Every structure is written in C-alpha cells, then in structure tokens.
C-alpha cells in the first residue's frame, strides 16, 4: 500500500510561535517525500523534498522537514511562524503507477492559520 | 522559468454535459498530470502522461478521458458532468517520468455543475 496521512485538518497558532505540521506515510520501499504549499487563491508550490541522506531537509521560505524512518513521518517545521505562512500545506509521497512510472500521492492537507 | 496555463479558469456545465479542460506548459517537460481537488480533501490523480500520445490512468480516471496530442498540451474531458458537482482541476508538469521530480502546477479550473 502507498498512502499519506495528515492527521490535522486545521492548525492555528500565533505569530512568533513554532509550527510543526504532521505527516505520516505508508510505503514498502524507500520513500521520496515532498511538501507543497497552497496560498489562498493560488495553486500549489513546491517547498522541499527528501530523497536520501540527511534526515533534515531545508526548503524555501525558511521551512524544514525531518524524515523519521522509525515512525514513518515527515513533519514540516518553521520557527518563528509569520502571518504570511497562513496557507494549506500538502505532504506527498512518490509512489508507483501502472508500468512502474512515478506518481505523487498527496495527503488531504493541513490548513494553517497564523494570527498576528 | 516557465508557466502552466489552464483554460478556462471557471467552467459551468449542465448535468450530463461533456466538458473539456485544457492545459498548456512551456517548460518543455515530458510528463503532465491532471489532479482533482475537492473541498476538504487532498489531490487525487485522474490521468497522467509521460510523453506525447501516452496516457496513464490515475486513481480517479472513471468518468474522464484525456488527450496528449502534443508535448506541450494535455486535455481532460469530463464525459458526463454530475449534478451539483464542484471541484477544482489542477494540471501539473514535471521534467520527466523518473524519480524525485518536482511538480509545477497551473492555477486550476473551477468546475460547477448545475
């Protein structure tokens, strides 16, 4: 099976706090994991990805994510959070489609609201 | 840089109608995708294409057809629109069909069915 779970549909915090958005995955092989962000009224943009190597990966806009094989997680972090970080965040796993070609499998997303 | 252009931005259809959504990219990417985004849900893959004239079914292909007649364009057809259906259809592209590729998304087509 190949799936992604984002258990928190909504996260609210105050500007200046630390944010951590949770993501867990299920995949039988070594995973390639991604985070994308969707700002209000816009389409999805790539934030960062984990392929191999260092378990903490840094991306754009000051975000980083930590890959933990032990509990199949890939949580997104940023400190401090800014009101402009308010958006919907999607975690994704690169799975396999028909014929073995790669395809991205997305979680349901977490809507982050940062109040100023 | 490049851009993905989806047309139309808004599409209003009638129940049972056949509706076509278009997507163009100038990245010169090999692979293109169609995803459906429903309110409160994640993105679900409808169809993808790893090269011109190739089509691969995603998890949600029933009720849809797709066409990739040129490398730069990828069309999606809703074969019979369902009453009260509302969703956003997102087109994306990536460099090729191999591993680890970043997807670039268009702005989306919002569908409403009366």
């Amino acid at each position: 099976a190949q799936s992604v779970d984002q258990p928190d549909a909504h996260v609210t915090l105050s500007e200046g706090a630390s944010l951590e958005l949770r993501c867990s995955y299920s995949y039988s092989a070594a995973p390639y994991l991604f985070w994308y962000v969707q700002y209000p009224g816009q389409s999805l943009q790539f934030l960062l990805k984990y392929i191999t190597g260092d378990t903490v990966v840094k991306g754009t806009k000051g975000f980083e994510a930590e890959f933990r094989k032990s509990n199949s997680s890939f949580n997104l972090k940023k400190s401090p959070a800014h009101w402009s970080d308010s958006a919907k965040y999607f975690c994704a796993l690169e799975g396999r489609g028909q014929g073995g070609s790669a395809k991205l499998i997305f979680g349901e997303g977490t809507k982050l609201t940062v109040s100023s | 840089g490049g851009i993905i252009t989806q047309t139309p931005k808004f599409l209003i259809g009638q129940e049972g109608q056949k509706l076509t959504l278009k997507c163009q990219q100038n990245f010169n990417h090999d692979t293109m995708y169609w995803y459906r985004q429903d309110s409160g849900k994640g993105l679900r893959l409808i169809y993808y294409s790893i090269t011109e004239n190739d089509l691969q079914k995603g998890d949600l292909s029933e009720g849809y057809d797709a066409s990739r007649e040129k490398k730069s364009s990828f069309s999606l057809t809703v074969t019979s629109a369902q009453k009260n259906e509302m969703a956003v259809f997102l087109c994306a592209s990536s460099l090729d069909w191999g591993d680890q590729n970043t997807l670039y998304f268009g702005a989306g087509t919002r569908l409403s069915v009366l």
Side-chain angles (χ1 to χ4, degrees), chain B residues 32-97:
Chain B
M32 296 185 75
Y33 310 79
W34 277 107
Y35 282 91
R36 176 178 166 133
Q37 184 178 21
D38 291 276
S39 178
K41 295 187 179 179
L43 279 68
R44 291 181 288 174
L45 183 62
I46 305 172
Y47 267 99
Y48 62 111
S49 167
I50 64 174
T51 189
E52 188 176 326
N53 292 319
D54 173 77
L55 289 176
Q56 311 267 351
K57 290 184 178 182
D59 301 318
L60 202 66
S61 60
E62 189 169 335
Y64 301 94
D65 287 327
S67 173
R68 182 96 182 271
E69 294 175 357
K70 291 192 302 183
K71 183 176 183 178
S72 62
S73 66
F74 193 30
S75 298
L76 181 73
T77 298
V78 180
T79 56
S80 179
Q82 301 298 304
K83 187 174 176 64
N84 296 324
E85 181 177 6
M86 288 182 65
V88 177
F89 292 84
L90 295 173
C91 177
S93 71
S94 65
L95 182 62
D96 58 38
W97 62 277

Side-chain angles (χ1 to χ4, degrees), chain A residues 98-112:
Chain A
Q98 297 172 355
S101 55
K103 66 171 186 178
L104 270 190
I105 299 161
F106 286 85
E108 294 188 1
T110 296
K111 185 174 181 181
L112 174 68

Side-chain angles (χ1 to χ4, degrees), chain A residues 14-81:
Chain A
S14 299
E15 194 169 37
S18 297
L19 77 85
E20 182 168 358
L21 304 183
R22 297 187 291 164
C23 172
S24 62
Y25 68 91
S26 174
Y27 194 54
S28 56
Y32 299 146
L33 296 159
F34 300 75
W35 277 97
Y36 284 79
V37 59
Q38 186 175 33
Y39 295 101
Q42 298 184 28
S43 195
L44 276 77
Q45 302 172 30
F46 169 78
L47 266 183
L48 51 79
K49 64 183 176 183
Y50 168 78
I51 304 302
T52 187
D54 290 341
T55 56
V56 177
V57 292
K58 296 186 184 301
T60 59
K61 307 178 191 293
F63 285 91
E64 66 177 37
E66 183 176 8
F67 170 66
R68 290 190 174 179
K69 186 178 179 181
S70 58
N71 60 357
S72 300
S73 68
F74 187 55
N75 294 352
L76 183 70
K77 303 178 185 180
K78 182 178 179 182
S79 185

